[in-house]
Amino acid sequence: RRVDLQEVDLSAAGQKRLPAEARVLAAWGVLELSDATLNELTVRLGRDASTLSSAVKRFDRRCYNEPELKEKITRSRGAPPSAKSDGRLQAC
């Protein structure tokens, strides 16, 4: 699902669902798909690194427990799933 959020929405104070979900996807993307660091993202968004790191861990568990979400992530990466030994996707 695509939404119209600006960077200012991602860095705004609060825990509204849509910006919070977008932040965790941005953090996940930084960790899994780029050469950037989580610290660089936290500076840009004005967020705490441990908060984003915890959110990514929760997202990882959610990917593991929700097969449809795992499939969406696989499709978004444009690559076949690469299973870890425990059956989890490399990205999740």
Side-chain angles (χ1 to χ4, degrees), residues 21-92:
E21 286 180 353
R23 278 192 295 273
V24 74
L25 287 174
W28 176 84
V30 162
L31 293 172
E32 295 291 334
L33 305 173
S34 78
D35 293 329
T37 66
L38 192 57
N39 190 52
E40 291 169 329
L41 181 64
T42 61
V43 169
R44 187 162 185 159
L45 297 180
R47 294 289 176 162
D48 182 69
S50 64
T51 301
L52 286 179
S53 179
S54 295
V56 170
K57 287 178 186 175
R58 285 190 304 273
F59 180 71
D60 183 51
R61 283 192 303 272
R62 190 173 156 209
C63 283
Y64 182 71
N65 293 321
E66 296 180 27
E68 64 280 354
L69 180 59
K70 188 186 304 186
E71 179 60 29
K72 285 181 184 179
I73 296 298
T74 301
R75 283 194 318 261
S76 73
R77 294 184 81 193
S82 57
K84 292 182 178 178
S85 60
D86 64 359
R88 293 168 62 177
L89 289 178
Q90 190 70 26
C92 290

Side-chain angles (χ1 to χ4, degrees), residues 7-20:
E7 187 173 332
V8 67
D9 299 319
L10 297 179
S11 59
Q15 296 178 348
K16 291 183 181 178
R17 183 180 181 109
L18 199 55

